mmCIF file of all heavy atoms in Angstrom:
data_model
loop_
_atom_site.group_PDB
_atom_site.id
_atom_site.type_symbol
_atom_site.label_atom_id
_atom_site.label_comp_id
_atom_site.label_asym_id
_atom_site.label_seq_id
_atom_site.Cartn_x
_atom_site.Cartn_y
_atom_site.Cartn_z
ATOM 1 N N GLY A 409 8.015 -11.963 -6.461
ATOM 2 C CA GLY A 409 7.860 -12.728 -5.238
ATOM 3 C C GLY A 409 8.050 -11.920 -3.985
ATOM 4 O O GLY A 409 8.186 -12.455 -2.892
ATOM 5 N N SER A 410 8.106 -10.616 -4.109
ATOM 6 C CA SER A 410 8.270 -9.772 -2.934
ATOM 7 C C SER A 410 7.081 -9.939 -2.009
ATOM 8 O O SER A 410 5.948 -10.112 -2.431
ATOM 9 C CB SER A 410 8.398 -8.301 -3.362
ATOM 10 O OG SER A 410 8.366 -7.470 -2.242
ATOM 11 N N ASN A 411 7.335 -9.874 -0.700
ATOM 12 C CA ASN A 411 6.270 -10.002 0.281
ATOM 13 C C ASN A 411 5.468 -8.718 0.426
ATOM 14 O O ASN A 411 4.433 -8.712 1.073
ATOM 15 C CB ASN A 411 6.858 -10.393 1.639
ATOM 16 C CG ASN A 411 7.413 -11.804 1.635
ATOM 17 O OD1 ASN A 411 6.876 -12.678 0.963
ATOM 18 N ND2 ASN A 411 8.489 -12.025 2.371
ATOM 19 N N ALA A 412 5.962 -7.623 -0.133
ATOM 20 C CA ALA A 412 5.262 -6.344 -0.019
ATOM 21 C C ALA A 412 4.016 -6.356 -0.891
ATOM 22 O O ALA A 412 4.078 -6.643 -2.082
ATOM 23 C CB ALA A 412 6.192 -5.196 -0.433
ATOM 24 N N SER A 413 2.868 -6.063 -0.305
ATOM 25 C CA SER A 413 1.617 -6.061 -1.048
ATOM 26 C C SER A 413 1.448 -4.752 -1.802
ATOM 27 O O SER A 413 2.156 -3.774 -1.568
ATOM 28 C CB SER A 413 0.442 -6.252 -0.077
ATOM 29 O OG SER A 413 0.369 -5.149 0.805
ATOM 30 N N TRP A 414 0.458 -4.745 -2.723
ATOM 31 C CA TRP A 414 0.165 -3.516 -3.449
ATOM 32 C C TRP A 414 -0.232 -2.426 -2.466
ATOM 33 O O TRP A 414 0.148 -1.269 -2.623
ATOM 34 C CB TRP A 414 -0.969 -3.760 -4.443
ATOM 35 C CG TRP A 414 -1.268 -2.550 -5.285
ATOM 36 C CD1 TRP A 414 -0.751 -2.239 -6.492
ATOM 37 C CD2 TRP A 414 -2.155 -1.467 -4.942
ATOM 38 N NE1 TRP A 414 -1.258 -1.037 -6.933
ATOM 39 C CE2 TRP A 414 -2.113 -0.544 -6.011
ATOM 40 C CE3 TRP A 414 -2.971 -1.192 -3.840
ATOM 41 C CZ2 TRP A 414 -2.868 0.626 -6.016
ATOM 42 C CZ3 TRP A 414 -3.718 -0.017 -3.840
ATOM 43 C CH2 TRP A 414 -3.667 0.880 -4.922
ATOM 44 N N MET A 415 -1.007 -2.792 -1.425
ATOM 45 C CA MET A 415 -1.466 -1.797 -0.469
ATOM 46 C C MET A 415 -0.307 -1.141 0.254
ATOM 47 O O MET A 415 -0.266 0.077 0.409
ATOM 48 C CB MET A 415 -2.415 -2.437 0.558
ATOM 49 C CG MET A 415 -3.768 -2.827 -0.013
ATOM 50 S SD MET A 415 -3.730 -4.421 -0.849
ATOM 51 C CE MET A 415 -3.711 -5.531 0.571
ATOM 52 N N SER A 416 0.662 -1.969 0.693
ATOM 53 C CA SER A 416 1.771 -1.412 1.455
ATOM 54 C C SER A 416 2.658 -0.523 0.600
ATOM 55 O O SER A 416 3.283 0.412 1.091
ATOM 56 C CB SER A 416 2.600 -2.542 2.073
ATOM 57 O OG SER A 416 3.181 -3.347 1.066
ATOM 58 N N GLN A 417 2.739 -0.811 -0.711
ATOM 59 C CA GLN A 417 3.587 -0.028 -1.605
ATOM 60 C C GLN A 417 2.912 1.243 -2.105
ATOM 61 O O GLN A 417 3.578 2.123 -2.643
ATOM 62 C CB GLN A 417 3.993 -0.884 -2.812
ATOM 63 C CG GLN A 417 4.871 -2.074 -2.456
ATOM 64 C CD GLN A 417 5.189 -2.939 -3.661
ATOM 65 O OE1 GLN A 417 4.877 -2.572 -4.791
ATOM 66 N NE2 GLN A 417 5.798 -4.089 -3.431
ATOM 67 N N ASN A 418 1.596 1.325 -1.953
ATOM 68 C CA ASN A 418 0.861 2.461 -2.521
ATOM 69 C C ASN A 418 -0.042 3.145 -1.502
ATOM 70 O O ASN A 418 -1.087 3.684 -1.861
ATOM 71 C CB ASN A 418 0.015 1.982 -3.718
ATOM 72 C CG ASN A 418 0.867 1.483 -4.863
ATOM 73 O OD1 ASN A 418 1.365 2.254 -5.687
ATOM 74 N ND2 ASN A 418 1.051 0.167 -4.925
ATOM 75 N N MET A 419 0.387 3.138 -0.243
ATOM 76 C CA MET A 419 -0.408 3.788 0.797
ATOM 77 C C MET A 419 -0.540 5.288 0.545
ATOM 78 O O MET A 419 -1.584 5.894 0.824
ATOM 79 C CB MET A 419 0.230 3.544 2.162
ATOM 80 C CG MET A 419 0.117 2.115 2.649
ATOM 81 S SD MET A 419 -1.593 1.627 2.983
ATOM 82 C CE MET A 419 -1.858 2.449 4.558
ATOM 83 N N LEU A 420 0.509 5.911 0.006
ATOM 84 C CA LEU A 420 0.457 7.349 -0.255
ATOM 85 C C LEU A 420 -0.572 7.665 -1.340
ATOM 86 O O LEU A 420 -1.324 8.639 -1.235
ATOM 87 C CB LEU A 420 1.838 7.861 -0.664
ATOM 88 C CG LEU A 420 1.949 9.374 -0.880
ATOM 89 C CD1 LEU A 420 1.632 10.119 0.413
ATOM 90 C CD2 LEU A 420 3.344 9.750 -1.360
ATOM 91 N N ILE A 421 -0.615 6.832 -2.394
ATOM 92 C CA ILE A 421 -1.564 7.063 -3.482
ATOM 93 C C ILE A 421 -2.995 6.923 -2.987
ATOM 94 O O ILE A 421 -3.839 7.797 -3.224
ATOM 95 C CB ILE A 421 -1.299 6.080 -4.644
ATOM 96 C CG1 ILE A 421 0.077 6.340 -5.256
ATOM 97 C CG2 ILE A 421 -2.389 6.196 -5.706
ATOM 98 C CD1 ILE A 421 0.477 5.335 -6.318
ATOM 99 N N SER A 422 -3.276 5.822 -2.302
ATOM 100 C CA SER A 422 -4.631 5.646 -1.788
ATOM 101 C C SER A 422 -4.970 6.728 -0.768
ATOM 102 O O SER A 422 -6.103 7.203 -0.701
ATOM 103 C CB SER A 422 -4.783 4.250 -1.165
ATOM 104 O OG SER A 422 -3.874 4.064 -0.086
ATOM 105 N N GLY A 423 -3.968 7.147 0.014
ATOM 106 C CA GLY A 423 -4.201 8.212 0.980
ATOM 107 C C GLY A 423 -4.565 9.525 0.321
ATOM 108 O O GLY A 423 -5.441 10.254 0.799
ATOM 109 N N LEU A 424 -3.912 9.844 -0.804
ATOM 110 C CA LEU A 424 -4.224 11.075 -1.522
ATOM 111 C C LEU A 424 -5.639 11.046 -2.090
ATOM 112 O O LEU A 424 -6.356 12.054 -2.057
ATOM 113 C CB LEU A 424 -3.208 11.289 -2.652
ATOM 114 C CG LEU A 424 -1.810 11.751 -2.218
ATOM 115 C CD1 LEU A 424 -0.855 11.706 -3.399
ATOM 116 C CD2 LEU A 424 -1.858 13.159 -1.637
ATOM 117 N N VAL A 425 -6.046 9.884 -2.618
ATOM 118 C CA VAL A 425 -7.408 9.772 -3.137
ATOM 119 C C VAL A 425 -8.424 9.912 -2.012
ATOM 120 O O VAL A 425 -9.453 10.593 -2.159
ATOM 121 C CB VAL A 425 -7.594 8.422 -3.867
ATOM 122 C CG1 VAL A 425 -9.048 8.254 -4.310
ATOM 123 C CG2 VAL A 425 -6.667 8.335 -5.068
ATOM 124 N N ILE A 426 -8.150 9.301 -0.868
ATOM 125 C CA ILE A 426 -9.042 9.413 0.275
ATOM 126 C C ILE A 426 -9.107 10.857 0.764
ATOM 127 O O ILE A 426 -10.160 11.359 1.150
ATOM 128 C CB ILE A 426 -8.590 8.474 1.408
ATOM 129 C CG1 ILE A 426 -8.724 7.019 0.960
ATOM 130 C CG2 ILE A 426 -9.419 8.708 2.672
ATOM 131 C CD1 ILE A 426 -8.020 6.040 1.867
ATOM 132 N N LEU A 427 -7.955 11.554 0.722
ATOM 133 C CA LEU A 427 -7.940 12.957 1.115
ATOM 134 C C LEU A 427 -8.816 13.789 0.178
ATOM 135 O O LEU A 427 -9.566 14.671 0.633
ATOM 136 C CB LEU A 427 -6.502 13.483 1.094
ATOM 137 C CG LEU A 427 -6.291 14.917 1.603
ATOM 138 C CD1 LEU A 427 -6.722 15.036 3.055
ATOM 139 C CD2 LEU A 427 -4.818 15.316 1.449
ATOM 140 N N ALA A 428 -8.752 13.492 -1.119
ATOM 141 C CA ALA A 428 -9.611 14.189 -2.083
ATOM 142 C C ALA A 428 -11.086 13.882 -1.802
ATOM 143 O O ALA A 428 -11.950 14.771 -1.886
ATOM 144 C CB ALA A 428 -9.251 13.763 -3.507
ATOM 145 N N PHE A 429 -11.363 12.632 -1.437
ATOM 146 C CA PHE A 429 -12.741 12.269 -1.088
ATOM 147 C C PHE A 429 -13.210 13.018 0.148
ATOM 148 O O PHE A 429 -14.358 13.477 0.214
ATOM 149 C CB PHE A 429 -12.837 10.760 -0.856
ATOM 150 C CG PHE A 429 -14.049 10.366 -0.062
ATOM 151 C CD1 PHE A 429 -15.305 10.394 -0.642
ATOM 152 C CD2 PHE A 429 -13.937 9.991 1.267
ATOM 153 C CE1 PHE A 429 -16.434 10.051 0.093
ATOM 154 C CE2 PHE A 429 -15.049 9.648 2.003
ATOM 155 C CZ PHE A 429 -16.305 9.676 1.416
ATOM 156 N N LEU A 430 -12.335 13.138 1.147
ATOM 157 C CA LEU A 430 -12.706 13.873 2.362
ATOM 158 C C LEU A 430 -13.032 15.326 2.037
ATOM 159 O O LEU A 430 -13.952 15.909 2.624
ATOM 160 C CB LEU A 430 -11.576 13.798 3.382
ATOM 161 C CG LEU A 430 -11.416 12.462 4.112
ATOM 162 C CD1 LEU A 430 -10.166 12.487 4.988
ATOM 163 C CD2 LEU A 430 -12.645 12.150 4.952
ATOM 164 N N ALA A 431 -12.279 15.899 1.097
ATOM 165 C CA ALA A 431 -12.573 17.267 0.683
ATOM 166 C C ALA A 431 -13.978 17.341 0.070
ATOM 167 O O ALA A 431 -14.759 18.262 0.366
ATOM 168 C CB ALA A 431 -11.538 17.752 -0.323
ATOM 169 N N LEU A 432 -14.316 16.349 -0.778
ATOM 170 C CA LEU A 432 -15.656 16.294 -1.367
ATOM 171 C C LEU A 432 -16.719 16.108 -0.280
ATOM 172 O O LEU A 432 -17.778 16.753 -0.305
ATOM 173 C CB LEU A 432 -15.733 15.135 -2.370
ATOM 174 C CG LEU A 432 -17.132 14.828 -2.951
ATOM 175 C CD1 LEU A 432 -17.647 16.008 -3.752
ATOM 176 C CD2 LEU A 432 -17.079 13.567 -3.812
ATOM 177 N N HIS A 433 -16.423 15.252 0.683
ATOM 178 C CA HIS A 433 -17.368 14.991 1.765
ATOM 179 C C HIS A 433 -17.598 16.253 2.605
ATOM 180 O O HIS A 433 -18.729 16.536 3.013
ATOM 181 C CB HIS A 433 -16.825 13.868 2.642
ATOM 182 C CG HIS A 433 -17.846 13.275 3.564
ATOM 183 N ND1 HIS A 433 -18.965 12.613 3.122
ATOM 184 C CD2 HIS A 433 -17.918 13.252 4.924
ATOM 185 C CE1 HIS A 433 -19.680 12.197 4.148
ATOM 186 N NE2 HIS A 433 -19.070 12.579 5.263
#
């Protein structure tokens, strides 16, 4: 029942994937 969403708890993970995508781009 925590108010913290998956996005807020995993911003670093999604950020790392986006960083890898930027490298590909």
Side-chain angles (χ1 to χ4, degrees):
S410 171
N411 291 326
S413 64
W414 183 92
M415 289 82 76
S416 63
Q417 295 177 8
N418 295 277
M419 290 294 283
L420 184 61
I421 296 174
S422 60
L424 285 171
V425 175
I426 295 167
L427 185 61
F429 161 73
L430 285 174
L432 173 63
H433 195 64

